[in-house]
Amino acid sequence: MLSGPVSSYIGQLTNLIFLYLSSNRFNGSIPLVIWKLKNLQKISMHDNMFSGPIPSSFGQLSNLIFLDLSSNRISGSIPQETWKLKNFQVINMGHNILSGSISSFLGELINLTFLDLSSDRLNGSIPLEIGYLTHLSYLDLSSNFLTGRIPLSLDRLTDLYSLNLSANQMDGMAPPDHGGLPSLSELDLSLNQLSGHILNLQLTNGARHLDLSHNRLTGPLPKKLEQLSNLLYLGLSSNYLNGPIPTGLASLPLEYLNLSHNNLSGEIPIGFTGRHGSVDLSNNAFEDQISHRSQHAHLKKKKIAYKNIIAATNDFDIRYCIGTGGYGSIHRAQLPSGKVFALKKLHRFEAEDSNFDKSFKNEVQMLTKIRYRNIVKLYGFCLHNRCMFLVYEYLERGSLFCALRIDVDAVELGWTQRVNIIKAIAHSLSYLHNDCNPPIVHRDISSNNILLNSELEACVSDFGTARQLYPDSSNQTVIAGTYGYIAPELAYTMVVTEKSDVYSFGVVALETIMEKHPGELLSSLASLSTQNIMLSDVLDSRLPYPTNLTVVRNIVLAAALAFACVHSEPRSRPTMLFVSQELLVCKKTLATPFRVISLQHLLNPEMDFT
């Protein structure tokens, strides 16, 4: 894997036709001398660390048909000269920091078949001239700041297979009759401000993916949805839709269906509740479909009536299922008092499995012993042999894993929130390791098991594999945890210690400040020099560059501690008590400018972790 800036000598390769620099660690600006390569037809620079603007000199590469600059940190507006290269067939500039509007000159690229400008910072409206791109088959403008209406000229794109305009600020009426898009298979207009009815939406039998969720759509569900015989994904949640569900939807091969948070009513068609795949019909006004069984159970800690739990979930109907855990399904239950709880229910086949049963009871045992602000609260449980479930506090924002992977949610998790999440996890683990007697090791710290409340505060959850450490015991055990977060020594020692949690914490901390799981980075630490990899280069590029001195200092400290925690030698890792105290006090000054702090510098910090 190559790194550093691209040499200016590349401008001497005047006979070059293809230029591939992808999936390296090249940084700095795109070389201006590329304009000298007049014979270039294809440029691929995706998955690097290029920054700065796109050179306007690209406009001189008249033979260019393919340009991929995606997944870099390229900023500024797209030069007008780029839109005048009429031979273009493929343009991918997604996942950068591009700003400004989309030029009307786009309409001159009449040979274009693929256009991806997603996950940038583009604004303004989609130009009407986009309708001239009659050969376009793939269009992704999602996750920008685009406004205005969806242009009617899109109807001219008869070859269009995939259209994604999600996560923008587009308004106006719902899309009109798109009968002119006979090839359309994937349509995603979610997370906008579209209004009106969806009755005029026309899709052919080839449609497989339709997502209009999180808009302001009103009116009934059109019966024509029943005719989409190949539809696999249907998302219409968080709108203002009303009326019944067309009965024919139950016969479609849907693998995902979300109609939650609407005003739908009537009966749920037969076949929905027992279908395979993910179905969410919650927060509507459907009639009760399932009878309730009278069972005995014991709920502790709070006076929560068992019958209210059953009533609130329609006997754990799938309509109230909000996810699945390591074992069992998670349901949302709102009691008559208005209080909302999360319920983890063990399925019948899982209850008969001794491993699942052991984990379930272990979680009860652990959570009844501990009380800490950033550890999920257990309010009660039922251990009846026909119905086993736990009653937790409800954390509205879901898992850290999902929050980091959905661009809209990730941007809301600013640098201060992310540092606070890291601190909360550290304090919780320090409490488990040092304030509990005997100490408790969680054994499955991962971003999936960190939940966020409405204020984006973190709580550690899922104690099914947690274990108490006794000084007179070998503490030998089977490997437990989530792949990618398990300490490497567990593969051969099979002995669990607090240092295994420390390693997992380090992985989650790095994941929190980066765009993704740091697996590739961790594997490269031992084999590649990190001298030229800057900390600023691995931070989540979806967030603004941190400039506040306190925020910068906190990020550097969190990163330094995280790298210390993922040391391959357990004895070289700090304790969670040390990490917690360092993050709590945070009095260290940052003598080195942030932009020149390399990972090598963080791997050899002047700290005593003994």
Side-chain angles (χ1 to χ4, degrees):
M1 184 176 292
L2 302 175
S3 60
V6 177
S7 171
S8 60
Y9 287 109
I10 199 172
Q12 299 179 14
L13 306 176
T14 53
N15 292 321
L16 205 62
I17 297 176
F18 302 153
L19 175 61
Y20 291 95
L21 303 176
S22 301
S23 300
N24 283 289
R25 294 190 179 277
F26 289 121
N27 55 31
S29 301
I30 298 174
L32 296 176
V33 294
I34 286 182
W35 71 270
K36 296 181 179 180
L37 309 181
K38 302 292 187 180
N39 294 313
L40 272 182
Q41 296 179 17
K42 295 184 179 181
I43 298 177
S44 181
M45 297 182 173
H46 67 80
D47 289 292
N48 279 287
M49 300 177 185
F50 287 114
S51 58
I54 299 172
S56 59
S57 57
F58 268 27
Q60 301 183 43
L61 302 176
S62 57
N63 292 314
L64 207 58
I65 63 175
F66 181 103
L67 178 62
D68 190 349
L69 304 178
S70 62
S71 299
N72 281 284
R73 299 184 176 181
I74 300 170
S75 58
S77 59
I78 301 173
Q80 294 280 39
E81 293 82 356
T82 304
W83 300 116
K84 298 180 180 180
L85 296 177
K86 297 184 179 181
N87 290 321
F88 262 137
Q89 296 177 15
V90 173
I91 295 178
N92 190 350
M93 300 180 187
H95 295 270
N96 280 290
I97 321 175
L98 295 170
S99 57
S101 59
I102 301 174
S103 172
S104 60
F105 285 112
L106 169 69
E108 298 187 13
L109 306 183
I110 58 175
N111 296 311
L112 203 63
T113 63
F114 183 104
L115 178 60
D116 189 338
L117 302 177
S118 63
S119 298
D120 279 301
R121 299 178 183 178
L122 301 173
N123 54 41
S125 59
I126 300 175
L128 295 175
E129 288 79 3
I130 200 169
Y132 293 122
L133 308 182
T134 54
H135 295 297
L136 200 64
S137 62
Y138 183 96
L139 176 60
D140 190 347
L141 305 178
S142 62
S143 298
N144 280 287
F145 299 100
L146 299 175
T147 57
R149 295 173 178 255
I150 299 174
L152 296 176
S153 58
L154 283 177
D155 266 358
R156 302 176 187 172
L157 308 184
T158 55
D159 290 340
L160 197 62
Y161 173 87
S162 178
L163 173 61
N164 191 344
L165 304 179
S166 64
N168 279 288
Q169 299 170 14
M170 307 193 72
D171 54 20
M173 299 296 288
D177 185 348
H178 277 310
L181 299 178
S183 302
L184 197 64
S185 176
E186 302 172 355
L187 175 62
D188 191 343
L189 305 178
S190 62
L191 293 161
N192 278 288
Q193 301 173 30
L194 303 176
S195 58
H197 292 194
I198 58 175
L199 295 176
N200 293 327
L201 181 65
Q202 297 284 345
L203 293 172
T204 65
N205 286 345
R208 299 167 63 87
H209 182 113
L210 174 61
D211 195 345
L212 303 176
S213 59
H214 293 274
N215 278 290
R216 300 173 181 176
L217 303 176
T218 56
L221 294 178
K223 285 187 65 64
K224 62 185 69 175
L225 290 175
E226 300 173 321
Q227 303 170 12
L228 304 181
S229 56
N230 293 299
L231 195 64
L232 301 176
Y233 185 111
L234 178 59
L236 298 173
S237 63
S238 299
N239 280 289
Y240 302 98
L241 302 172
N242 55 39
I245 298 177
T247 57
L249 286 187
S251 62
L252 297 182
L254 290 168
E255 296 176 355
Y256 176 94
L257 173 66
N258 195 340
L259 304 178
S260 66
H261 296 275
N262 279 289
N263 297 316
L264 300 173
S265 58
E267 296 185 357
I268 299 174
I270 297 174
F272 269 71
T273 57
R275 68 183 306 118
H276 298 291
S278 174
V279 177
D280 190 348
L281 308 177
S282 61
N283 289 280
N284 279 286
F286 297 122
E287 298 174 8
D288 290 341
Q289 301 288 307
I290 297 174
S291 62
H292 308 303
R293 296 193 301 268
S294 177
Q295 298 179 346
H296 294 287
H298 298 282
L299 297 177
K300 300 183 178 180
K301 302 298 180 186
K302 293 277 185 179
K303 292 183 178 180
I304 305 172
Y306 173 80
K307 63 180 181 180
N308 288 341
I309 294 291
I310 298 300
T313 61
N314 263 6
D315 200 7
F316 292 99
D317 191 281
I318 196 170
R319 286 183 288 168
Y320 300 93
C321 182
I322 58 175
T324 57
Y327 60 91
S329 55
I330 314 298
H331 291 70
R332 182 184 185 275
Q334 183 169 359
L335 300 189
S337 64
K339 181 68 174 177
V340 180
F341 295 96
L343 310 175
K344 180 188 284 188
K345 182 180 183 295
L346 205 62
H347 299 136
R348 182 179 297 277
F349 72 90
E350 291 172 329
E352 296 171 353
D353 186 316
S354 59
N355 291 325
F356 286 123
D357 181 72
K358 182 179 179 180
S359 294
F360 184 92
K361 293 178 180 178
N362 186 70
E363 188 158 10
V364 172
Q365 181 185 6
M366 292 298 170
L367 288 178
T368 53
K369 294 178 182 291
I370 56 182
R371 276 291 180 267
Y372 190 75
R373 175 181 177 182
N374 297 112
I375 293 177
V376 67
K377 294 178 178 62
L378 178 69
Y379 288 124
F381 57 89
C382 169
L383 295 180
H384 193 280
N385 59 0
R386 289 183 297 170
C387 188
M388 301 173 65
F389 61 87
L390 307 177
V391 183
Y392 295 104
E393 67 176 319
Y394 179 69
L395 297 166
E396 299 88 337
R397 302 302 293 268
S399 71
L400 175 62
F401 177 89
C402 291
L404 291 174
R405 281 154 181 80
I406 300 174
D407 287 347
V408 175
D409 293 348
V411 171
E412 191 174 353
L413 278 180
W415 292 121
T416 298
Q417 287 85 356
R418 296 193 188 202
V419 170
N420 287 339
I421 288 171
I422 293 172
K423 289 180 179 180
I425 303 170
H427 299 332
S428 299
L429 290 176
S430 178
Y431 164 82
L432 293 174
H433 294 178
N434 300 281
D435 297 326
C436 294
N437 188 21
I440 295 175
V441 180
H442 186 280
R443 298 176 69 208
D444 195 12
I445 294 295
S446 71
S447 57
N448 261 319
N449 291 334
I450 306 300
L451 303 180
L452 306 177
N453 65 15
S454 60
E455 303 300 321
L456 298 177
E457 296 174 331
C459 281
V460 178
S461 70
D462 205 334
F463 282 71
T465 59
R467 179 164 177 171
Q468 293 177 307
L469 297 183
Y470 294 94
D472 56 347
S473 172
S474 67
N475 293 314
Q476 191 166 1
T477 185
V478 296
I479 295 180
T482 302
Y483 179 78
Y485 300 86
I486 302 172
E489 69 272 12
L490 289 178
Y492 55 88
T493 65
M494 305 292 284
V495 176
V496 63
T497 69
E498 295 96 332
K499 292 302 179 73
S500 59
D501 274 357
V502 174
Y503 181 90
S504 302
F505 162 80
V507 176
V508 173
L510 291 174
E511 184 178 0
T512 303
I513 63 175
M514 295 170 62
E515 290 190 21
K516 56 186 178 181
H517 184 281
E520 182 179 346
L521 178 62
L522 294 179
S523 62
S524 69
L525 294 180
S527 57
L528 297 176
S529 170
T530 53
Q531 188 71 43
N532 295 323
I533 302 178
M534 300 295 112
L535 172 60
S536 58
D537 290 334
V538 301
L539 296 183
D540 193 336
S541 61
R542 295 169 296 184
L543 298 188
Y545 191 89
T547 55
N548 180 277
L549 294 180
T550 301
V551 172
V552 168
R553 181 186 61 187
N554 287 338
I555 293 172
V556 172
L557 178 60
L561 291 168
F563 279 115
C565 290
V566 296
H567 199 287
S568 58
E569 175 55 54
R571 289 176 296 181
S572 298
R573 296 172 199 154
T575 65
M576 288 311 307
L577 178 61
F578 177 89
V579 174
S580 176
Q581 290 175 339
E582 288 290 299
L583 290 171
L584 190 62
V585 177
C586 196
K587 291 182 178 178
K588 299 184 182 300
T589 58
L590 192 60
T592 308
F594 184 47
R595 287 188 178 274
V596 300
I597 295 178
S598 68
L599 300 192
Q600 188 65 37
H601 180 269
L602 296 178
L603 290 171
N604 297 287
E606 295 180 359
M607 297 181 184
D608 183 8
F609 292 122
T610 57

